[in-house]
Amino acid sequence: MSLIYQRVAYIGLGLIASSMIHASRRAGLVGEVAGTARSAETRAIAREDGLCDIVTETAAEAVQGADLVVLCVPVGAMSAVAEVIGPHLKPGCTVSDVGSVKRAVIDAVQPHLPESVHFIPAHPLAGTEHSGPRSGFAELFDNRYTLIVPDGDVDSAALARLEEFWRSLGANVELMDPEHHDLVLMVTSHAPHLIAYTMVGVADDLRRVTDSEVIKYSAAGFRDFTRIAASDPTMWRDVFLNNKDATMEILGRFIEELMSLQRAIRTGDGDQLFDYFTRTRAIRRGIIEAGQDTAAPNFGRGTERETPEG
Ligand code: NAP
């Protein structure tokens, strides 16, 4: 089989980039891998582990001669990285990213790129609460969706190549427009993270329940929340700051639903609660039937490879 890209450059070498590198090595469809990270420490780990064929000191050096450049930094850092690499990109190359928010990333990156390159944003719907160059693994994207999110028309050959690349990493690939992406992900990922952060915060504030009780008696629901609430603070700060409109819309609806349930509990309306919980149960069944989770009971003891994604 021929190589999809001769040379791929990763800017940022954390969970997502290192998983992409492991998955691409597994597939054997990428030639040379170049990479760089902000800190000397991460670059040293990448060299020590042989994560990349070439680890460069700067992003400008990493992208030299690359056919595909993938921005794997927090959403808030995308603009500065794009500004640095813009003048050094090979004409005809594809620039993509893995940011959890799309409209803000497109607006931050696009102005810094020359017209001679193809900018095709993407978002793999897979992740864990772990970060850094040693947290990645080849199977992360297997049977998960990667959304490719072009802003308007893009070169069809470059798009097909990027789709093939993601499929070779194990992902199912679909196209979506940026605004729709940001709303869908707010519902399926971002708002749940905010709720988990809040619930763990509430437990932390509730002095009547001691820390040791929270840890000792943590039941399935709370334990799942703590796993999600352990996600990287920088990444999630940037997600909410860069997806404000969808956050406001979904949070507004969430608060309305919560108040309606609060009222049902106060007035003893068991039928409303029962009907509501029956409706939500069907959504869980749908996820399992779609092969996006298993029905195996684990009582909240999810393995770290189960994925709260960004
Ligand atoms: P990560 O493990 O924390 O790695 C982030 C990388 O970006 C690190 O190499 C870090 O360098 C570098 N970096 C951080 N701040 C930077 C800055 N200001 N300038 C330049 N480089 C910087 O993060 P990740 O989980 O791989 O996430 C990367 C991207 O993927 C984010 O945009 C996130 O929204 C998206 N994403 C994440 C998930 C998930 O569940 N984690 C899922 C899908 C998409 P140092 O190591 O040197 O600090």
Side-chain angles (χ1 to χ4, degrees), residues 13-15 18 22 44-46 48-49 51 130-137:
L13 293 171
L15 168 72
S18 59
H22 292 307
I45 291 172
E48 196 181 313
D49 294 0
L51 183 63
H130 302 293
S131 314
R134 287 189 168 140
S135 59
F137 51 98

Side-chain angles (χ1 to χ4, degrees), residues 12-17 37-39 42 72-75 77-78 81 98-100 123-124 126-128 131-132 232 235 308-310:
L13 293 171
L15 168 72
I16 300 297
R38 173 182 53 173
S39 69
T42 299
C72 300
V73 297
V75 166
M78 296 278 181
V81 168
V98 295
S100 305
H123 179 198
T128 75
S131 314
D232 187 64
M235 167 180 159
E309 69 275 350

Side-chain angles (χ1 to χ4, degrees), residues 93-155:
C93 79
T94 293
V95 175
S96 190
D97 77 297
V98 295
S100 305
V101 175
K102 295 277 59 106
R103 171 46 62 198
V105 168
I106 292 166
D107 291 348
V109 170
Q110 185 84 69
H112 300 296
L113 303 184
E115 286 201 355
S116 59
V117 308
H118 308 292
F119 177 40
I120 313 178
H123 179 198
L125 307 188
T128 75
E129 68 276 28
H130 302 293
S131 314
R134 287 189 168 140
S135 59
F137 51 98
E139 301 79 21
L140 181 65
F141 310 109
D142 288 351
N143 197 33
R144 307 306 302 262
Y145 282 95
T146 288
L147 300 175
I148 310 245
V149 189
D151 190 23
D153 288 341
V154 282
D155 181 82

Side-chain angles (χ1 to χ4, degrees), residues 74-79 99-108 178 181-182 186 190 234-247:
V75 166
M78 296 278 181
S79 172
S100 305
V101 175
K102 295 277 59 106
R103 171 46 62 198
V105 168
I106 292 166
D107 291 348
H181 167 279
D182 288 356
M186 180 51 63
H190 305 170
T234 305
M235 167 180 159
W236 286 97
R237 177 201 63 195
D238 286 4
V239 164
F240 292 112
L241 292 182
N242 288 282
N243 199 6
K244 260 188 207 161
D245 291 350
T247 306

Side-chain angles (χ1 to χ4, degrees), residues 128-261:
T128 75
E129 68 276 28
H130 302 293
S131 314
R134 287 189 168 140
S135 59
F137 51 98
E139 301 79 21
L140 181 65
F141 310 109
D142 288 351
N143 197 33
R144 307 306 302 262
Y145 282 95
T146 288
L147 300 175
I148 310 245
V149 189
D151 190 23
D153 288 341
V154 282
D155 181 82
S156 58
L159 177 63
R161 209 165 159 203
L162 188 66
E163 289 186 44
E164 189 191 352
F165 175 65
W166 271 107
R167 281 202 195 91
S168 81
L169 304 187
N172 305 320
V173 174
E174 281 194 7
L175 296 182
M176 200 176 266
D177 76 67
E179 281 68 26
H180 193 63
H181 167 279
D182 288 356
L183 187 64
V184 170
L185 265 291
M186 180 51 63
V187 176
T188 58
S189 169
H190 305 170
H193 273 77
L194 200 60
I195 293 159
Y197 278 123
T198 316
M199 196 55 229
V200 175
V202 166
D204 190 41
D205 289 345
L206 205 65
R207 293 294 165 217
R208 278 170 295 160
V209 182
T210 65
D211 285 354
S212 63
E213 281 174 315
V214 166
I215 291 163
K216 189 169 161 194
Y217 303 125
S218 73
F222 185 72
R223 205 180 297 139
D224 280 354
F225 276 158
T226 59
R227 184 163 57 88
I228 296 171
S231 300
D232 187 64
T234 305
M235 167 180 159
W236 286 97
R237 177 201 63 195
D238 286 4
V239 164
F240 292 112
L241 292 182
N242 288 282
N243 199 6
K244 260 188 207 161
D245 291 350
T247 306
M248 292 306 142
E249 176 168 347
I250 299 305
L251 268 192
R253 285 166 188 251
F254 175 75
I255 291 164
E256 278 174 28
E257 299 274 307
L258 196 62
M259 290 178 78
S260 150
L261 289 183

